[in-house]
Amino acid sequence: MSDAAQPTAAEVRAAAEAVKTALDRHLAAVERRSGEDDPAVSEAFNQLAAAAEAYDELLYDRYDEVTPFEIPGAEDTLPPYAGPEEPNAISVLIRRDYTVAEPQRLLAQAQRVQAAEYDDGGDDDDAAGTVPGALGILFGEFEPDEIASRHKEFGLEEGDSTLWVTAAEEPPEAGEWLAAPFEHIDPQQVVCRFDVSAVFDDEISDDGDDDIVFVDEDEDEDEDVDVDTDEDTDGEDTDDDEELEPLDAEK
């Protein structure tokens, strides 16, 4: 940043004063709170976070220094639940990210599945010969939970994942949301949320404790959020053909 664009010392000090004011307001709101989900506390929290973030940015721009505060982003928090007390319907929204770490392994698995569907081995292997086609074959053949638990066999490497459960008074009409399944989600209807990311593992390792637990991996190992396969399924130290044998394409 050029000298002309840098904030003045007065601007930095004003931002620091804004943080102090926001701290006082937050403490006062906490002391007066009427319950766990008091909106006044939430508002004061958001104001404090905004003031601290502004101060941190100005401090860095002016003096090349940072604060020890970690400011949560808007995507990291949810507003208080305001859905029905006894919901008659729920929706489960899941996102899992993968890296195609071993394209050849992915293609080989898709070709095995395609060959198993035809007695003569199939006449058209164009789909199984491309990564998009192979993904279509495998995700069409196997449940997403099975792919999550066997991702290394499919040449995939897990990234972040999240699972949201939302509540509603009544279930939607059949086919109502199929055109845009992830739009119009009201954050205040979210009952619970479970996130899995290497970022959390790093934070827990750095802090030396595990107070932040997003998912109990032991309990969910055979379910759907984050499942690790055994080391002997890792294709790095074994022959690819030997490791592909356990795949049961008839499942």
Side-chain angles (χ1 to χ4, degrees):
M1 179 178 292
S2 66
D3 292 339
Q6 285 184 347
T8 65
E11 288 174 329
V12 178
R13 181 157 294 280
E17 293 298 327
V19 174
K20 298 175 186 178
T21 300
L23 274 170
D24 291 337
R25 290 175 178 172
H26 181 260
L27 177 58
V30 170
E31 291 173 338
R32 297 192 305 266
R33 68 180 179 183
S34 58
E36 291 185 2
D37 297 328
D38 190 329
V41 175
S42 298
E43 182 179 358
F45 172 88
N46 291 332
Q47 291 175 350
L48 176 57
E53 183 174 15
Y55 171 63
D56 190 86
E57 291 178 356
L58 291 173
L59 186 70
Y60 181 80
D61 291 342
R62 177 68 184 182
Y63 300 110
D64 198 24
E65 293 288 345
V66 296
T67 67
F69 310 125
E70 181 178 355
I71 310 303
E75 69 278 3
D76 298 327
T77 60
L78 289 172
Y81 175 70
E85 292 185 5
E86 298 183 4
N88 296 316
I90 65 169
S91 295
V92 180
L93 296 88
I94 300 175
R95 171 172 172 168
R96 296 189 181 106
D97 287 352
Y98 297 95
T99 300
V100 181
E102 300 180 72
Q104 292 305 316
R105 181 180 293 275
L106 178 73
L107 297 175
Q109 293 283 38
Q111 290 164 2
R112 285 170 173 265
V113 170
Q114 190 174 61
E117 293 180 351
Y118 302 94
D119 293 338
D120 59 358
D123 297 328
D124 183 8
D125 61 353
D126 290 341
T130 66
V131 170
L135 290 169
I137 291 173
L138 294 175
F139 277 89
E141 179 71 15
F142 299 98
E143 292 290 334
D145 292 349
E146 182 168 5
I147 290 180
S149 66
R150 306 174 64 184
H151 60 277
K152 292 183 180 179
E153 295 180 45
F154 298 107
L156 303 174
E157 181 178 313
E158 286 184 317
D160 291 354
S161 67
T162 187
L163 182 151
W164 294 31
V165 179
T166 65
E169 293 282 2
E170 300 294 337
E173 297 292 333
E176 178 180 347
W177 51 260
L178 291 178
F182 302 111
E183 292 184 2
H184 311 301
I185 301 302
D186 184 354
Q188 290 189 305
Q189 304 293 317
V190 177
V191 178
C192 56
R193 167 180 173 175
F194 302 95
D195 299 327
V196 176
S197 174
V199 171
F200 306 139
D201 295 337
D202 293 341
E203 290 176 354
I204 292 173
S205 176
D206 293 341
D207 294 341
D209 58 48
D210 53 1
D211 292 339
I212 303 176
V213 178
F214 290 83
V215 175
D216 189 334
E217 295 184 358
D218 292 335
E219 293 180 2
D220 289 75
E221 187 170 8
D222 295 324
E223 296 183 7
D224 63 328
V225 179
D226 183 19
V227 182
D228 294 330
T229 57
D230 294 334
E231 290 298 325
D232 58 6
T233 61
D234 191 341
E236 295 179 0
D237 299 321
T238 59
D239 183 78
D240 285 357
D241 292 337
E242 292 179 359
E243 185 173 358
L244 293 177
E245 289 300 327
L247 178 65
D248 183 1
E250 298 295 333
K251 293 183 69 173

